[in-house]
Amino acid sequence: HNHVRKYFDKPLWTMDDFLGRASESAREYYPKVYGDRADEAQDVLYKYVEEHHLNYLEPMSETKELLDFLQNNKMPMAVVSNKRHNTLVKEIEHVQYQNYFNFVIGAGVAKRDKPSPDPLLNAITALGEELKPHEILYIGDTETDLLTAESAQCPMVFIQSECLRPDLIKKYAPNYNYVSISELFKAFKSESDAKTSIAS
C-alpha cells in the first residue's frame, strides 16, 4: 500500500496506520482514498504485488503441522481472503498447500469482499450445502476477519500473530484467541488427546 501512496504523493503509512485502516479490500477501500483514480491505484498496487508477493511469502510457524492435523481428522477446510483470487491461488500453490483446501475464494469473486459475510458464506456453502455458519470455526488474524465472523455470526479464532491486540479482543470478544498458530495447534492437539483418553 505504501508503494501506491508514494506513487500518488500521499504520506506513507506506519504499521499502526495500516492496522487501523485495513479492514476492507482494496476494491472497496481505494475509491474512498483515490476517488476517480481508484482503478489506476489498484493497477499500481497489483502490478507491484504480482512482481514481489512470492518473495516475501513465508508460512507461519507450525502451519503445515496444523493443516496436516486437521486434514488427518477429516475436517474440511477453505480459504477466504481479500487478496485477489489469482494471487491467492498462486500463493497457496507456491507453499504447496493446495491439497488441504476444499474451497478457495479471494477478493473480487463474491459480490462483496470481507468484511462482508458474502465470501465466507460462499465458502461455507461450498463445504456443505446444509452447513450453517455457527457450525464452522473461522480462523483469522486481522480486524477484517473479526468483522467478517461477526457479520456472518460464526465462531471465531483470533490469532494475534505474535503482536498482542487486547484492544481488538475487547472490542469483538472472539470465542478463542491465541498468540500464534503454534499455540492454536497445541490447543487442537490437547483437545484431541483429551477425547482419546476419555474414549479409551
Side-chain angles (χ1 to χ4, degrees), residues 42-161:
Q42 286 193 68
D43 288 342
V44 172
L45 171 68
Y46 288 113
K47 182 176 186 295
Y48 183 86
V49 168
E50 284 299 313
E51 291 173 354
H52 299 283
H53 70 117
L54 296 181
N55 298 332
Y56 299 100
L57 189 64
E58 185 176 339
M60 294 177 179
S61 178
E62 294 197 80
T63 299
K64 186 177 186 306
E65 290 82 354
L66 174 60
L67 293 172
D68 283 335
F69 175 83
L70 296 175
Q71 189 176 67
N72 290 339
N73 282 276
K74 304 189 185 314
M75 296 185 188
M77 292 178 276
V79 178
V80 180
S81 176
N82 269 354
K83 293 181 179 179
R84 270 191 175 175
H85 186 76
N86 290 343
T87 300
L88 176 64
V89 170
K90 286 180 184 177
E91 293 189 354
I92 290 171
E93 290 175 349
H94 181 76
V95 293
Q96 299 181 9
Y97 285 177
Q98 62 270 27
N99 292 330
Y100 291 110
F101 304 115
N102 302 74
F103 185 75
V104 173
I105 182 170
V109 176
K111 184 176 180 181
R112 296 174 297 172
D113 301 324
K114 296 189 301 181
S116 159
D118 293 357
L120 176 56
L121 295 176
N122 286 3
I124 293 172
T125 300
L127 291 179
E129 290 187 4
E130 303 302 318
L131 197 59
K132 305 299 181 189
H134 70 270
E135 297 173 321
I136 69 112
L137 199 56
Y138 183 88
I139 302 171
D141 63 351
T142 67
E143 185 170 12
T144 305
D145 293 313
L146 291 161
L147 285 163
T148 302
E150 184 177 78
S151 62
Q153 298 186 315
C154 69
M156 172 74 190
V157 177
F158 181 52
I159 305 296
Q160 298 181 71
S161 300

Side-chain angles (χ1 to χ4, degrees), residues 134-190:
H134 70 270
E135 297 173 321
I136 69 112
L137 199 56
Y138 183 88
I139 302 171
D141 63 351
T142 67
E143 185 170 12
T144 305
D145 293 313
L146 291 161
L147 285 163
T148 302
E150 184 177 78
S151 62
Q153 298 186 315
C154 69
M156 172 74 190
V157 177
F158 181 52
I159 305 296
Q160 298 181 71
S161 300
E162 315 294 352
C163 178
L164 300 183
R165 297 299 307 271
D167 54 324
L168 295 183
I169 292 170
K170 182 178 179 180
K171 183 176 180 181
Y172 296 100
N175 303 78
Y176 310 94
N177 64 82
Y178 298 95
V179 175
S180 65
I181 288 290
S182 296
E183 290 299 313
L184 174 60
F185 182 34
K186 287 177 186 175
F188 270 121
K189 286 198 299 182
S190 176

Side-chain angles (χ1 to χ4, degrees), residues 20-43:
R21 293 178 170 90
S23 61
E24 298 174 297
S25 68
R27 176 172 67 151
E28 294 171 353
Y29 180 70
Y30 272 30
K32 300 174 185 177
V33 180
Y34 301 107
D36 293 342
R37 300 182 71 186
D39 288 343
E40 180 185 356
Q42 286 193 68
D43 288 342

